[in-house]
Amino acid sequence: MAVVKARKQDIDMLARLLRAEAETEGEMGMLLVGNVGINRIRANCSDFKGIRTIPQMINQPHAFEALQHGMYYQNARERERRLAQRTVNGERNWPGKFSLWYFRPGTFENPGPCPPTWYNQPFVGRWKKHCFYEPTAEECENVYNTF
C-alpha cells in the first residue's frame, strides 16, 4: 500500500528523478534517492513544510540538481518505475531511511569526504559517492514517526 498518493504520472516523474540523480549509484542508490524524496513529503518539517505531493517535492526550488540536466527530461524507463513504486510503497533502506538530504561531494571522478553535517544536520552514512543526512529530532521529530 502506498505511503504517499501517486498517480501514474507521479511515478514516472519520480522514476525520471531517480535515474537522473543516481543512475551511476545502481538500484540501491536510486532507491535511497527515492527514500529521501518520500521522507520530504511525509515529514512536513524543516525546508519541506507544506510539501505534500511528488510533483511539489521534485519541483521545490533548488531541491534537485538533476532538473538542470537533460537526463531528467528523458522518458521514464520500466526499471526506474519499479524502483519509484517501491519507495512510494514505503520501502526504506539505510542510510536513506530517515534522511532528508543527500549530496555528492567532490567531483564525479573524484568524490570527496562527507562533511560531518549538511544544513546543520548530522551525517548518517554514505552510499558509493553520495552522503546522507538525517535531521535531528529537534529539527524534525516527525520524520521518525512516519512508519
Side-chain angles (χ1 to χ4, degrees):
M1 183 164 125
V3 296
V4 298
K5 290 183 180 181
R7 305 164 297 173
K8 180 188 181 309
Q9 58 262 39
D10 298 334
I11 295 296
D12 284 353
M13 191 177 197
L14 182 57
R16 294 187 348 250
L17 180 73
L18 301 184
R19 180 179 178 203
E21 285 281 320
E23 182 176 40
T24 61
E25 305 285 293
E27 288 194 3
M28 181 57 70
M30 289 188 278
L31 284 169
L32 294 172
V33 166
N35 288 168
V36 168
I38 298 303
N39 289 343
R40 289 177 178 185
I41 295 168
R42 298 186 75 207
N44 197 30
C45 64
S46 186
D47 298 329
F48 312 106
K49 288 181 181 165
I51 303 294
R52 310 307 322 145
T53 68
I54 289 172
Q56 287 174 339
M57 177 267 295
I58 291 173
N59 291 311
Q60 184 182 23
H62 313 291
F64 296 102
E65 186 177 316
L67 272 66
Q68 300 171 18
H69 306 289
M71 184 180 286
Y72 173 75
Y73 299 96
Q74 297 175 6
N75 289 332
R77 299 186 308 191
E78 192 55 37
R79 172 186 180 208
E80 288 82 25
R81 280 189 193 103
R82 285 192 302 273
L83 296 172
Q85 189 64 60
R86 286 167 60 182
T87 64
V88 164
N89 288 349
E91 181 178 328
R92 295 290 176 273
N93 300 281
W94 182 89
K97 187 171 184 173
F98 299 112
S99 294
L100 291 177
W101 301 272
Y102 67 88
F103 86 109
R104 185 182 66 214
T107 65
F108 185 77
E109 297 80 19
N110 187 20
C114 296
T117 61
W118 187 252
Y119 290 99
N120 297 317
Q121 303 307 306
F123 171 71
V124 66
R126 183 176 196 141
W127 176 259
K128 296 188 179 182
K129 296 178 183 177
H130 284 93
C131 307
F132 290 81
Y133 297 83
E134 284 184 13
T136 63
E138 289 176 351
E139 177 73 19
C140 186
E141 182 180 357
N142 197 43
V143 78
Y144 300 102
N145 299 324
T146 58
F147 294 96

